[in-house]
Amino acid sequence: MIQDLMISKLIVKNYFEKFENYLDVDVAIVGGGPSGLVAGHYLAKDGFKVALFETKLSPGGGMWGGGMMFNEIVLQKNTIDILKDFEVDLKDEKDYYVVDSVQMTSSLIYKSSRAGLKIFNLIRVVDVVLKDDSVCGIVINWNPVEYMSLHVDPITVISKKVLDATGHPAELTSILVKKANIKLYTPSGKIEGEKPMNADLGEKETVENTKEVFKNFYVCGMAANGVFGGFRMGPIFGGMLLSGYKAYKILKEDLRKG
Ligand code: 48F
C-alpha cells in the first residue's frame, strides 16, 4: 500500500540533503537560460560543484519559444561540437542548423542535470555576498516570496565564483552596481546597456563580452551584452551556446588558479 506520509518524508529528506550540500559551491549560476545551462553542463562534467538557480518553474529561459513563438531555433554551423554533446536532431539548412526549440531546451536541461549540475528552480537570486571587494556568494529566496513582496529574509549560498546568466536584464550585475557602488571592468565602470538588434554583431559580442566583470563575478549570454553594451541578436542561438562554453573555459581556468 502506498504510504502518504512516506512520500512527503522522502521529498523533504532528499530535497534538504541536496540543498544543504549545495549551500557551498565552486560556481553559483544565476539563471537557467541556454548560456547558463551550457556553462553549468561543462563545469559539472569536469567535476566542479555547481548549482544553478532559476526563478521560474521551468529552466530554459528564452529558448522554448523559438522566434515569436514559432518553436524552431536557428544556430550557426560552428556550434556543431556543442550540438553533438547535447544530441539534438539537426536540420541542415546551408549555413545554419535548425533545431526544434523544445527538443533543444529540454536536452540542455536534461544533459546538464545528468552531468551533475544541480538545478534549483523557483528560487530567485536577490543579492550577492560581498567581502573585501570580492563577490563570494549569492543571496536567495523563494520566487513566490519575492513575487508577493512578503517580508521574509533570504538566505545565503557561498560560492567561489558567481556567473550572471540572467539574460537581457543582467539583473544580478545591476544589483551589484546599485547596492555596492563598485566599478565594473567595463569602459565606464558601469553597466553600458544593451544596444538594438544586429544579429551579426550581437552574436560575436555575446562571446567577446563573456568574462569576469568584477572580482569572482562573471557574465555570459545576453547579460554579457547588456553589461558591456553589445547588440541584441534575436532568435539565433549559436552565440548563447558559445558564450556558455566560453564562460565554462574561463571559470575552469580561474578555479584551477585558485
Ligand atoms: O534570457 P535567458 O534565456 O538568458 P540567456 O542565456 O539567453 C538569451 C536568449 O534566450 C534570448 C536571446 C538570444 O537569442 O536574446 O533572449 O542569455 O535566460 C535567463 C534566465 O534567468 C532567469 C530567467 O527566469 C531566465 O530563465 N533569471 C533572471 N533573473 C533571475 C533569474 C534571478 N534574479 N534569479 C534567478 N533566475
Side-chain angles (χ1 to χ4, degrees):
M1 198 174 69
I2 291 177
Q3 296 165 297
D4 304 69
L5 178 62
M6 190 49 76
I7 297 169
S8 307
K9 278 189 173 178
L10 287 175
I11 290 170
V12 172
K13 175 177 163 282
N14 282 278
Y15 186 84
F16 283 99
E17 269 172 19
K18 176 172 71 177
F19 197 34
E20 186 179 8
N21 189 21
Y22 279 82
L23 290 176
D24 184 2
V25 292
D26 292 322
V27 185
I29 300 178
V30 186
S35 64
L37 285 167
V38 168
H41 171 267
Y42 289 105
L43 284 164
K45 215 169 166 203
D46 277 5
F48 293 106
K49 192 174 172 189
V50 191
L52 183 152
F53 296 91
E54 166 56 53
T55 191
K56 295 193 176 143
L57 178 58
S58 306
M63 202 176 229
W64 294 107
M68 207 183 137
M69 298 204 289
F70 308 134
N71 65 356
E72 300 283 338
I73 56 167
V74 177
L75 300 122
Q76 303 87 319
K77 293 230 155 149
N78 62 352
T79 56
I80 186 64
D81 291 341
I82 300 175
L83 292 172
K84 276 187 184 158
D85 285 343
F86 286 96
E87 295 179 47
V88 285
D89 298 320
L90 306 172
K91 197 162 168 227
D92 198 324
E93 295 276 10
K94 288 198 182 137
D95 294 336
Y96 304 98
Y97 294 119
V98 178
V99 184
D100 180 292
S101 70
V102 175
Q103 186 186 102
M104 182 81 233
T105 313
S106 50
S107 178
L108 289 182
I109 299 166
Y110 175 69
K111 298 274 287 184
S112 59
S113 161
R114 288 300 304 265
L117 176 69
K118 264 326 151 227
I119 300 175
F120 294 91
N121 57 341
L122 292 167
I123 293 183
R124 187 163 197 88
V125 180
V126 294
D127 207 344
V128 296
V129 185
L130 190 70
K131 279 188 190 155
D132 303 326
D133 283 331
S134 170
V135 171
C136 56
I138 54 169
V139 181
I140 60 171
N141 213 336
W142 295 115
N143 180 12
V145 167
E146 294 297 317
Y147 186 68
M148 296 172 73
S149 302
L150 300 180
H151 195 166
V152 179
D153 267 326
I155 63 170
T156 293
V157 173
I158 295 304
S159 142
K160 290 184 188 130
K161 310 280 180 194
V162 172
L163 177 62
D164 182 347
T166 57
H168 290 271
E171 190 174 311
L172 208 61
T173 315
S174 305
I175 292 171
L176 174 67
V177 172
K178 196 168 140 202
K179 293 188 72 178
N181 196 25
I182 48 96
K183 274 195 158 193
L184 298 173
Y185 308 157
T186 58
S188 69
K190 298 182 183 142
I191 292 177
E192 305 294 338
E194 184 186 300
K195 295 199 182 112
M197 183 80 93
N198 183 324
D200 187 42
L201 286 178
E203 282 290 274
K204 285 182 201 131
E205 288 166 344
T206 192
V207 183
E208 281 163 22
N209 293 332
T210 296
K211 49 186 147 179
E212 192 173 24
V213 69
F214 188 67
K215 186 99 177 75
N216 293 327
F217 188 89
Y218 301 72
V219 286
C220 69
M222 267 323 294
N225 275 6
V227 169
F228 282 97
F231 283 89
R232 74 182 305 184
M233 72 294 288
I236 179 151
F237 280 87
M240 292 303 130
L241 305 190
L242 295 171
S243 164
Y245 191 77
K246 184 181 172 191
Y248 147 68
K249 296 286 261 185
I250 298 171
L251 283 160
K252 176 179 163 172
E253 204 183 312
D254 290 358
L255 281 162
R256 295 224 160 122
K257 277 191 235 152

